[in-house]
Every structure is written in structure tokens, then in C-alpha cells.
């Protein structure tokens, strides 16, 4: 047991799920009166059910990334957990203090196929509230940044390209499925920029300062 704890003790970060899920579920059940999130640009964005595929791939994208760093690098694992979990907490706090939602979902679909049926399942299990900023967008950015900043992966072009394409596709899916307003996307991007500064850029700046200090000593 001691050996296992010594090797995998950093799993304690994953206990965050017991904070996030009850909090999110509470908001989903109780937020009925909310501020409407809408931009005129939303009305110009078409609905495309095929983007349900990258939207659902988000779950694997985030999970696989966290598990990869869990088993390969504690340092990178703590970084991605800090990025994701702090950002998700900020998002839930915003939704708690400023309840929000949208009315963008189509009343009916122009066609019926396996993809629209998948969208129906999504709509039935996920409300159109608690959308700003988009956690789907924010977490996708967080995973891609973790991949880009990882020493093991930054030189693997196919990994970087694949991650970038999937990240971009997931972000597009949030508005093309009418799950989010474009404002939610911008909110997720801004939150991602802020967390990137504190998790990755700040440490990199400190590292450069240390290198310069050593050169002058």
C-alpha cells in the first residue's frame, strides 16, 4: 500500500470530481431564472448535427490527456489538473453568482438521422443553462496547451496537429450544435488565456530569469 501511495499518491487531485459533479448537478436542477446569453452572430451560425462527434470526443480528449500525464509526469499532471480544475471552479462560481443560459436550440431538425438522434440525447441530458464561460471550450484549450508544453510531446508533430484539430473541432461544435452562444466561446477562450499565463507562462518566465541570473553569476 505504501509503495502504491508513493507511486500514485498524486491521484488525490482527481477527488475534485466530488466537488465539481455535485455543484454542477445542483446548478442544473435549480437554475431556472437566468440571464440570457446571446449575440447577433449566433443567429448567423448554422446548426450542423455532424459536429456531435467531436463534441462527444471531448470526454475522451480530456480524460486521456489527464491519464497520460498521470502515468508519465507528475509535474505535467499537476499543471493540467491545476489548469482544468481551477478554471472549472471559476466557471461554476460565475454560473452560481450570475445564472445564465440561452435559447438557441432548434425547435425541430430539418432532417432525421443518427446524428440528430444523438443531439436529441444530448439535449435531453444537458440543459441550456450554466453555459458561460464554456467549460467544453476551456478544457479543450487546456488539454491542447498541456500537449504543446509537454517536453515529450512538443516534438511529436502528429500529436500536436491531431490535438489542435480536435481542439478546434470541439470549440466549433459548441456553437454548431447550438449548445453555446459565441459569447460562451469567447468567455472560455479568455479564461484559458488567463490560466495559461498563471500555469505555463509565469513558470516559463521564472525559468528564464533563473537562467539569466546564472549566466551573470
Amino acid at each position: 500500500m505504501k509503495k502504491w501511495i508513493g507511486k500514485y499518491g498524486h491521484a488525490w487531485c482527481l477527488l475534485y470530481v466530488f466537488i465539481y459533479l455535485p455543484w454542477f448537478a445542483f446548478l442544473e436542477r435549480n437554475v431556472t431564472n437566468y440571464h440570457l446569453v446571446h449575440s447577433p452572430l449566433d443567429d448567423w451560425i448554422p446548426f450542423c448535427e455532424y459536429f456531435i462527434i467531436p463534441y462527444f470526443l471531448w470526454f475522451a480528449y480530456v480524460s486521456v490527456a489527464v491519464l497520460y500525464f498521470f502515468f508519465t509526469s507528475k509535474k505535467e499532471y499537476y499543471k493540467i489538473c491545476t489548469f482544468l480544475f481551477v478554471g472549472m471552479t471559476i466557471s461554476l462560481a460565475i454560473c452560481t453568482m450570475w445564472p445564465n443560459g440561452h435559447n438557441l436550440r432548434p425547435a425541430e431538425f430539418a432532417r432525421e438521422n443518427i446524428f440528430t438522434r444523438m443531439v436529441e440525447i444530448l439535449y435531453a441530458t444537458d440543459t441550456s443553462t450554466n453555459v458561460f464561460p464554456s467549460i467544453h471550450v476551456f478544457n479543450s484549450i487546456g488539454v491542447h496547451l498541456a500537449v504543446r508544453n509537454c517536453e515529450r510531446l512538443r516534438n511529436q508533430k502528429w500529436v500536436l496537429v491531431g490535438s489542435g484539430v480536435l481542439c478546434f473541432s470541439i470549440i466549433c461544435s459548441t456553437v454548431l450544435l447550438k449548445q453555446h452562444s459565441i459569447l460562451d466561446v469567447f468567455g472560455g477562450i479568455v479564461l484559458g488565456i488567463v490560466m495559461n499565463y498563471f500555469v505555463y507562462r509565469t513558470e516559463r518566465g521564472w525559468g528564464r530569469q533563473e537562467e539569466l541570473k546564472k549566466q551573470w553569476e
Side-chain angles (χ1 to χ4, degrees), residues 11-116:
W12 68 269
C13 289
L14 301 180
L15 293 175
Y16 176 75
V17 69
F18 296 107
I19 297 176
Y20 176 80
L21 290 181
W23 191 354
F24 181 79
F26 173 81
L27 292 175
E28 287 286 281
R29 290 194 305 267
N30 293 281
V31 173
T32 53
N33 297 317
Y34 52 82
H35 298 84
L36 188 65
V37 180
H38 181 267
S39 166
L41 185 58
D42 294 324
D43 302 325
W44 289 87
I45 299 175
F47 171 82
C48 182
E49 69 271 23
Y50 304 114
F51 275 82
I52 191 66
I53 300 302
Y55 190 88
F56 278 157
L57 283 176
W58 173 84
F59 296 96
Y61 186 48
V62 176
S63 300
V64 170
V66 171
L67 288 175
Y68 172 80
F69 292 118
F70 176 84
F71 288 110
T72 61
S73 171
K74 283 186 181 181
K75 181 180 179 181
E76 299 297 335
Y77 165 78
Y78 280 128
K79 285 182 181 179
I80 191 174
C81 285
T82 299
F83 190 107
L84 298 182
F85 299 163
V86 172
M88 291 162 72
T89 300
I90 293 173
S91 179
L92 290 180
I94 291 174
C95 292
T96 301
M97 295 183 290
W98 187 68
N100 56 79
H102 67 76
N103 57 0
L104 299 172
R105 291 178 175 179
E108 58 183 25
F109 300 122
R111 50 193 170 272
E112 184 175 341
N113 52 47
I114 187 172
F115 302 105
T116 55

